[in-house]
Amino acid sequence: QSLALVQQNTLTTNNDNMGGGGWYYVPKVWSPAGGWWNNPRNWKANTAVCGVVIFALSAVVFKVSAEKERRPIKPRFPVPSERWAKHPAGTQ
């Protein structure tokens, strides 16, 4: 009889002792990112748009850099950017 009472008490009190619930203090702070534990509705679309914009800007910078690169003296060792540079090395 006492064993059943102990088992019954442990079953009812285990839920009270488990974590994950309850309240804890979080100050009310405004931030442009959304504050504490933000979860924007369309974060996947925003991330994809940012990735496309970063890729496009990087491609433009790469293209301009390859067009403007000049090596008046041919390097002693091969340089990877020689493969896509507009002007060959050793020319003005």
Side-chain angles (χ1 to χ4, degrees):
Q1 189 180 36
S2 63
L3 181 62
L5 183 60
V6 169
Q7 286 178 346
Q8 183 181 5
N9 285 344
T10 57
L11 289 177
T12 58
T13 58
N14 271 349
N15 291 338
D16 296 337
N17 294 334
M18 296 182 77
W23 182 87
Y24 42 94
Y25 174 74
V26 176
K28 292 196 177 214
V29 177
W30 179 88
S31 77
W36 303 97
W37 299 290
N38 62 339
N39 190 11
R41 289 181 307 204
N42 54 347
W43 70 268
K44 290 181 184 179
N46 291 344
T47 304
V49 168
C50 287
V52 168
V53 168
I54 289 171
F55 180 79
L57 290 175
S58 299
V60 169
V61 168
F62 179 82
K63 182 178 182 285
V64 170
S65 174
E67 289 175 355
K68 293 188 175 205
E69 180 178 2
R70 297 194 188 269
R71 296 184 184 274
I73 301 172
K74 187 162 178 69
R76 189 183 315 173
F77 300 104
V79 178
S81 65
E82 287 180 306
R83 288 183 273 180
W84 55 75
K86 185 176 180 181
H87 305 284
T91 61
Q92 290 285 345

